[in-house]
Structure formats: C-alpha cells, structure tokens
Amino acid sequence: MIAELGLAALWIAATLSLMQLAFGGFALRADGEALLRTVRPVAVAQAVLVGIAFLCLILVFLRTDLSVALVASNSHSAKPFVYKFAGVWGNHEGSMLLWVTVLAIAGAAVALFERKLPQRTLIATLAAQAAIGLGFYAFLLFASNPFERLSPAPVQGNGLNPLLQDPGLAFHPPTLYFGYVGISIAFSFAVGALITRDVGANFARAMRPWVLAAWIFLTLGITAGSYWAYYELGWGGWWFWDPVENASLMPWLAATALLHSVTVLATRDALRAWTVMLAVVAFSMSMVGTFLVRSGILTSVHSFAVDPQRGFFILILLSLYIGGALMLFGLRVGTVREGATFEPVSREGALVANNLLLSTILGIVLVGTLYPLGVEAVTGEKLSVGPPYFNSAAGPVALALVAVMAAGPLARWRKDKAKAVLSRIAVPVLIAALALLGLMLFAPGLRILPLLGIVLAVGAGAASVAPLWKRNLRRTPLFTYGMVVAHLGIAVCLAGMASESAFTKETLVAATPGQTASVGPYQIRFDAVDPIAGPNWTANEATLTARRGSGAPFVMRPQSRMFSAPPTETSEAAIATRLDGQLYTVLGKSDEQGRWQLRLWWKPFVTLIWLGGSMIALGGLLSLIGRVRRGRREVAE
Amino acid sequence: MKAKNQRLTLLLLALGASLGAALLAMSALRDQAAYFYAPADIARKGVPVDRAVRIGGMVKDKSIVRAADGITIDFVVGDETPATIPVRFTGIAPDLFKENSGVVAEGKFRPDGRFVATEILAKHDENYMPPQLAGDKHKSGTLK
C-alpha cells in the first residue's frame, strides 16, 4: 500500500510541476494576474507531494518490504536501523528520488521566501525550475521507478554495499544534493531574468543568498565526502581525482566563480552577461555530473547500476536543458546592456581574475574527466586520467588563484593603484617570505608544488585577515567576517594539502605479534589479532600499541571486516588524531608464516584539509546571515 | 574605458583563459594519460616502457607467489589469448584480489617486460567489474 501511495504522490507531483510550468508560461504571456498568483502555491504543493513520496520510500525501507524491487535488491532485514534509513538513497532510484525532492524543495523555498525579485521574474524562475523538475520526474517514472513491485517477493534482500554501511551515508549524500541540486535555483533565476529581460544589480542581490546557501551545502558535502573516502577506503588518500569526485568539484568551481561575480553585479552592476552565463554553467555542471555518475558509464561505488537506457535518457535531458538555456542566452544577451566599467587594478579586476582562474581550473578538470570517455567513444582505445594530470595541470593555476585571493580583498572597488595594493599586502608577503626561508633551511628538498603551497598558504592566511586591520571590529558587517573566515579556510585547507603531500611518512611491513615497527615519530608494537563480530559482519581486529617518544602509549584497533550480505571484505582503518596530524593504521592480510601486513601512515596536519573545508562553509554561512539580515532591514525601510 | 570595449576585453580574456586551459590540459594529457593494455595488446604492440599505464585481465590460477618480506607479491595476468604479463606488486592487495579473478593494475613496465604495479584497483564488491575488463569479456562472450 505504502509503495502505491508513494507512486501516486510522485505522479501528482509530476502533474503539479507541469501545471507550474504551464501556469507560469501563460501568466507571463497573457499577463493574467489570476494565474500569476497560482504559481507559488503550486510550487509548494509539488514539494509537499514529492516529500510524501520520499517519506513513503523511507517507510518501505524501514519496514524492509521485500515485495518492492528496490528494497529487495538493496536492503536486508539484518541491516542496522541507520543503514535501512540511509540506504534509501544508497541506490540509483532512491538517489534520483532524493535529487527530485531537493529540486522541488528548493523551488518551494523560493516560492515561499523570495521577496526581492519582481513578481514576473519570480514566476519565470519558478516555471524554469518546474521545467527542470518535469524532465527528471519523467526519468524517475519511466526509467527509474523506485516503487516497482516484485512478484513473488524474495525471502531475503541482497543487502547494501558494505562500503556504504557507514554513518557517512546518512550525511554526505543529502548535504551534497542540497548543494548540487540547490544550484538549480541559480540556473532558474538566470533563465527567469533572461525571459523578463531583468538582469541587473537587483537581480544579483536577490540571487546571491540562494547561491550562497547551495554553495555552503556543496562545500560541506564535498568536505564530508573527502573525509569519508579517507577513513573508509583505507588507502590513506583524501582526494583521488575520481570522475565522481570531479563531478562534485566542477559545480563547486562554477558556483564559487558565480558567488564572486554575483557580488560584482550586486555591488557595482558590472559583469551582467557573464554572471548569467556562470549561473547556467554551474547547474549544467551538476547535470553533467549527474549524467556521469548515474548513467553507469563510469564504474564506481557511486554508480549503482549499468543501464544504457538511463544514460541515454539523462543525456537527452542534459542536452535539452543546457542547450535550451544557452540558446535563450544567445537570443537575449543582446538585450542585456553593458554594466558599469572599472579599471584593471580594482576589486572588480581581482574578481575577474578569480573568475578566469576558476574557469580555467574548471576547464582542466572537465577535459580530464571527459577525455577518457571521448577517446574510448571515438577510437575504442581505453585510458585513464589520474592524479598526475590533474595535479600538474590544475595545481599551478590553483596556486595562482590563492595568490589573487590574498590580494583581491585589499583592492578598492572601481579604481585602485597597484602601489597602494602592494603596500597593503606587504606584511603578508614578508611573512610568506619568512616561511619560504624557514622551509628551505629546515625542510630542504621539498617538491616545488608542496613548497609553494605551504608558502602561499601562510601568506594567504595572513592576507585574508588583513581586511579587518585597523577597522572597528564591532561595526564590521557580518558578511565581511564571512569572507575573512572563508578565505582563511582556503589557506588552512591548502596548508593541510601541502603538508600532507610534503611530509607524510609511510611504512609497510609484514609482522608477527610482538614485533615493533616505526612510522614518523611513532613506535608501534603489534600485539595481537583477534576475531570479533558485529551485527552483520565478522572481522579480524589487530591490537596495536602506539607510542610517541616517551609519551603515554595508546591502543589502536584496525579491522579487516567480512560482510555477510553481500559477501564483501572491507578494511576499517584505525586513526588517532593529534594536534599536529593523524596516525593512520590499516590491517592487511596474513600469510602462511602467521605474519600480518600492516600499513602505517603519519600524516602531519592532514586534519587542516577538512578543518579548512568546514571554515569555508562557515564563512559562507556568516555571509548568508549577514546578507539576509541586511536585506530584511532594506525591505523594512 | 567605454563599456563596450570593456566587455570586448573581458570576452577576449575569457576566451584566452579557456584556450589556455585547453592547451594546458591537452599537453598534460599527452604526458599523463594512462592507457589500458590487456595481455593480448602487449603481445601485439610490444611493451610501452617508462610510461604510467594500466593493465587488466584475469589473475592466472596458482600464479600468486609471496616474497619473503611478506608484502611483495608476484603474479601473472592473462586473458582469453595465450599472452600473459608477469606483475610485481608491493603493498596490501585489495580484498577481492585472488586467483581466477579479474584485476586492473596501475604502474609501469620494466624493459624486461615485467609490470611493476604501484596500485591494484579495488573491486568494490562481487558484482563490480572494472569497465575495461567487463567490455573485453562482453566481446569475447565469457561474461556470465
């Protein structure tokens, strides 16, 4: 019954999105005031219904109703409660339903809370949002129905991929989707403003909080995903340049560029056409990512099923939306007047440099991600593009971007003198030079990218707090603090990446219980391996006693787990976090002589990567609160 | 600067940036893209020395030999042809790495034809098959 209810709710929601599109379209055409007023409630009702559908799917999973095909192939009655719940989106159909749910919620949020946008543009925006929704409802209902029944129902389900059986599953996908799909709002705003020819500073001020909100979620989702991969895979890496990771990074790069250009548009009414373009590109990247991940052309833990029909469907949707938006852009860009002008050396100039560099990185990542697919499609030759390419091509550009980030906020709007900017950044440059000197003296032989990374991180860290220098801290607006915290977060994150890459120590040994190994500053004694059991797995658990110099010893217990449904082994790393880094231990296999493989890493300051990521998101949150508050005050006045 | 000129300048800058990105990407791709070889490809085309590549195939029955240090293994990768590739790997092999099972390894060939793997790509679960391998097996009709 519940499954049928969910399916019915989904169909009604799809019909409502068709109504939202049609009413919006007619209202704009005929100028019918009555129809204009219907669009907002329809958008809200659509979100409520798709929310009901999503709740139904959750219920079906919690009750392990095996007559539903999706539950049978992805769940198991012996699965712990939290994974029955989070397993809802740990599969293709469920994650697409989450996708559409987030899309509808974002649309409803705009319908409920957006007050700054002129009504006609708002209606056009909601119609655009409904148009996106319609395509993905069709995809769900015709090619990925999550509520399909199975007859006869099997006695037991297949279980969830053990790599996904982790608390991270409850947090990472919804957060990422709120960012990833939430950026659709920017797309719809851009389409709406192009339709009503309303691109200007007001439009940018209205769009900014929505972009910020989506960007915060995206930042958090990527940060969480990176940490999850780091501790769950047991490979000791935090970013693998996996196409699926790139699929989340590309919308983030575009959204970050958008966030900065929308500031120029809101403050100075410049970069009109460019900002609209970026809004289209940002969500296009989300759709490209959805295609890469959900079509099954890539094989990864994220792509749950290989079905060419689905890939083709998404590809068609993608071409329709991106093509349609670009065509609209091409037709209407002539009617977008040029904005205000500015000198090259100015805040606007720095923000343009930021946008160009971010776009360059986006291009590099996009080319590297699509190249293997293109080559295979054309020549049939198989190849992979991995970290060497991305690091060597995108790394230098990213460092240049950090340098611009350090100097940009210190330049004045409209017009500034290069000399004046240089004098404001003199102290951070001096600090960076000292860091360089220190590294060359005490850590000689560093590779060039990590070396520059640390130096730039130190300099950019100092420069990012410089905008607060000599200001009345209590009267400084909250969004300025937001910028400072986010930029500081970038510096902290970069410091973590560079330190991890420059100073990580690794030891790989085969040891019998009683033996000792060392990694970095730690001595690690291998005490024993014992069998243990969990709710749906058994494991070998090693007991290691780690000790740093003459400090207190502590115990670490890495495991090698065997899951029963589906039968799979995973390794659970044991990680000890210290102020200056993490000790990361993995238990491998045993051999005939009773030796066990142990892989040990000491990663100095690796935690800064995720601390920095969280600071970036926090900075976004501060800006968002600051902007919304000021907006309220303006409306009140 | 007039608004129109400024827009033109920005447009040119954007074009320059994307062109630069494309050039940078293409030149880096030429050096860094890792091509995929099956044992039959190696037999036909010869050994690509000193270049990061990926190889894939089936781990031959009874071919896994553990070295005395406990962390180095030697094994032989074959496919549906008689061609084989000897592989050496130092590290913790993924959980589902075993004989008569599919494998994809990343690394470099030594001039003598031995493949030194830096990484053995993990199979995530029983159903997972590296796409390259799945493609090959579809072709030869051995995929069950």
Side-chain angles (χ1 to χ4, degrees), chain A residues 347-360 401 404:
Chain A
R347 182 78 66 86
E348 291 96 317
L351 288 166
V352 166
N354 148 301
N355 268 233
L356 290 176
L357 291 171
L358 277 168
S359 310
T360 309
L401 179 63
V404 171

Side-chain angles (χ1 to χ4, degrees), chain A residues 161-163 233 235 271-274 297-301 333-334 336-344 352 356-357 359-361 363-364 367-368 371 375-376 381-389 392-394 397 508-510 560-561 566-571 586-593 595 597-599, chain B residues 1-7 10-18 20-22 24-30 32-37 45 52-54 66-73 89-98 106 118-133 135-136 139:
Chain A
N161 181 346
L163 275 180
L233 292 177
W235 299 342
L271 303 183
R272 289 177 169 185
W274 173 248
I297 55 173
L298 300 173
T299 309
S300 101
V301 69
V333 72
V336 177
R337 282 177 303 110
E338 291 90 357
T341 61
F342 52 87
E343 295 293 311
V352 166
L356 290 176
L357 291 171
S359 310
T360 309
I361 299 175
I364 289 170
V367 168
Y371 185 74
V375 167
E376 191 176 346
E381 200 155 12
K382 288 153 195 153
L383 55 86
S384 65
V385 174
Y389 161 78
S392 66
V397 188
L508 184 63
V509 290
S560 165
R561 281 189 192 169
T568 307
E569 297 178 34
T570 68
S571 54
V586 175
L587 175 67
K589 307 225 173 339
S590 61
D591 61 12
E592 301 82 33
Q593 294 126 317
R595 293 184 301 182
Q597 293 177 324
L598 289 175
R599 193 161 201 177
Chain B
M1 202 188 291
K2 271 178 48 197
K4 204 153 229 166
N5 294 343
Q6 179 138 39
R7 186 185 257 195
L10 291 179
L11 188 71
L12 288 178
L13 271 176
L15 279 180
S18 39
L24 194 63
M26 279 311 177
S27 80
L29 275 178
R30 217 178 1 223
Q32 313 283 11
Y35 283 83
F36 178 85
Y37 294 89
K45 299 184 206 158
V53 297
R54 284 185 175 184
R66 293 179 194 284
D69 66 358
I71 48 175
T72 302
I73 48 175
F89 172 67
T90 303
I92 297 179
D95 304 309
L96 287 166
F97 170 77
K98 53 189 170 218
E106 195 163 287
T118 49
E119 197 183 334
I120 292 185
L121 294 150
K123 294 206 319 178
H124 286 305
D125 63 63
E126 297 274 79
N127 304 323
Y128 174 87
M129 170 86 60
Q132 290 99 342
L133 209 59
D136 281 357
K139 260 184 260 160

